[in-house]
């Protein structure tokens, strides 16, 4: 499950960077939607961590 968390975090970071770039380049609505979508991946990662669905190594 650690690999799943890493993948979800990577998607979040890439989405946040793209969303912030678009937001500050003038496409505020599109950038906001991308940031909200990236946040959804972060929330999923947090749920996985809080429910302790990862391997106990």
């Amino acid at each position: 499950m650690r690999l799943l968390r890493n993948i979800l975090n990577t998607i979040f970071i890439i989405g946040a960077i793209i969303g912030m770039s678009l937001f500050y380049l003038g496409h505020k609505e599109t950038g906001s939607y991308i940031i909200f979508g990236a946040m959804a991946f972060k929330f999923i990662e947090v749920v996985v961590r809080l429910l302790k669905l990862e391997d106990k190594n």
Side-chain angles (χ1 to χ4, degrees):
M1 284 298 174
R2 187 151 180 87
L3 177 62
L4 175 63
R5 285 184 51 209
N6 287 339
I7 292 170
L8 291 171
N9 276 326
T10 302
I11 293 170
F12 165 70
I13 291 169
I14 292 170
I17 291 169
I18 293 170
M20 291 299 290
S21 299
L22 285 172
F23 186 85
Y24 284 114
L25 289 174
H27 304 283
K28 294 192 185 302
E29 188 173 347
T30 305
S32 296
Y33 289 138
I34 293 174
I35 292 169
F36 292 142
M39 286 173 53
F41 285 99
K42 186 61 177 178
F43 290 140
I44 294 169
E45 187 271 331
V46 169
V47 168
V48 168
R49 185 172 11 127
L50 288 177
L51 294 178
K52 298 184 188 327
L53 295 175
E54 61 186 64
D55 295 332
K56 306 260 187 207
N57 291 334

